[in-house]
């Protein structure tokens, strides 16, 4: 039984290590993960992996998704080529569909004005300040932040990022969510028994 579809944005220089925990455990818990690119032409991740997107961004409708995931990429900071993904994130949030952004994708959301009125985090405050955004008062210096339908995390926190996604989508809750985080973030062997009880 599927719990719905999650869309993972993919683009050249996509930081492929940032969403491995998230997509693997979503898939193991009944979600379908589909990749979305600017087009359906193949892209190459920062790790050199070639990915053929399942659909083009223009064909992505928030009504068909449970979540949009945006990862870091060198391209977020070298021009506007990825700005259509931030615009799509706005349409998701306007429709009440969650968006999860990590690393450089947070700067894309900042440029789009999506962090001006929401609690958020990123790599460091001055990284987002360089975008000229107006949300610095809402910056939280922590691993990952959820504010309603928006999840943000810094580049060194893929496990905390996954935890916030799982909490928002109800994949794991309470003790199991805590145990998942302790197992994958802290290597706590006692958490394995709780997670698999």
């Amino acid at each position: 039984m599927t719990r719905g579809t999650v869309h993972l944005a993919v683009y050249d220089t996509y930081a492929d290590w940032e969403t491995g925990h998230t997509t693997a455990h979503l898939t193991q818990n009944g979600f379908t993960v589909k990749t979305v690119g600017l087009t359906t032409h193949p892209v190459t991740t920062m790790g050199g992996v070639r990915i053929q997107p399942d659909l083009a961004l223009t064909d992505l409708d928030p009504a068909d998704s449970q979540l949009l995931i945006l990862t870091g990429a060198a391209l977020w900071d070298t021009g506007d080529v990825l700005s259509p993904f931030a615009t799509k994130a706005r349409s998701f949030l306007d429709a009440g569909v969650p968006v999860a952004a990590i690393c450089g994708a947070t700067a894309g959301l900042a440029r789009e004005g999506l962090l001006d009125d929401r609690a958020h985090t990123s790599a460091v405050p001055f990284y987002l300040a360089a975008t000229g955004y107006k949300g610095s008062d809402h910056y939280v210096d922590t691993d990952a932040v959820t504010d309603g339908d928006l999840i943000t995390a810094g580049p060194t926190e893929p496990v905390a990022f996954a935890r916030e996604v799982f909490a928002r989508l109800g994949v794991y809750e309470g003790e199991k969510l805590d145990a998942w985080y302790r197992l994958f973030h802290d290597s706590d062997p006692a958490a394995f028994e709780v997670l698999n009880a």
Side-chain angles (χ1 to χ4, degrees):
M1 181 178 120
T2 184
R3 297 175 69 176
T5 301
V6 168
H7 289 90
L8 171 65
V10 294
Y11 22 75
D12 286 328
T13 73
Y14 146 64
D16 32 10
W17 64 91
E18 293 177 342
T19 59
H21 288 91
T22 304
T23 55
H25 288 272
L26 287 173
T27 300
Q28 290 173 17
N29 284 279
F31 288 87
T32 298
V33 176
K34 289 192 175 180
T35 54
V36 57
L38 284 170
T39 68
T40 55
H41 295 296
V43 298
T44 303
T45 71
M46 210 175 279
V49 177
R50 227 168 119 84
I51 297 176
Q52 177 84 47
D54 293 311
L55 72 157
L57 188 62
T58 54
D59 296 327
L60 177 59
D61 185 337
D64 298 329
S65 188
Q66 301 298 308
L67 172 74
L68 174 62
I69 303 171
L70 301 172
T71 68
L75 292 177
W76 282 113
D77 298 318
T78 57
D80 296 329
V81 70
L82 298 184
S83 62
F85 286 99
T87 302
K88 185 63 74 169
R90 177 179 292 282
S91 71
F92 266 63
L93 293 171
D94 288 348
V97 180
V99 172
I102 186 170
C103 189
T106 61
L109 298 189
R111 290 184 194 97
E112 182 69 18
L114 296 175
L115 305 184
D116 288 351
D117 301 309
R118 294 176 171 94
H120 60 276
T121 195
S122 184
V124 286
F126 61 81
Y127 172 64
L128 292 184
T131 68
Y133 87 130
K134 299 176 178 68
S136 60
D137 288 346
H138 300 286
Y139 188 92
V140 182
D141 191 10
T142 191
D143 298 343
V145 172
T146 298
D147 186 342
D149 289 326
L150 180 65
I151 297 164
T152 52
T156 60
E157 298 301 333
V159 178
F161 181 69
R163 177 193 61 202
E164 297 302 304
V165 169
F166 301 155
R168 180 62 185 80
L169 295 182
V171 175
Y172 301 114
E173 297 174 334
E175 286 185 355
K176 285 206 172 188
L177 180 63
D178 177 65
W180 184 90
Y181 184 74
R182 287 188 294 114
L183 180 62
F184 288 96
H185 188 266
D186 303 328
S187 301
D188 180 355
F192 184 81
E193 289 183 21
V194 178
L195 189 59
N196 291 284

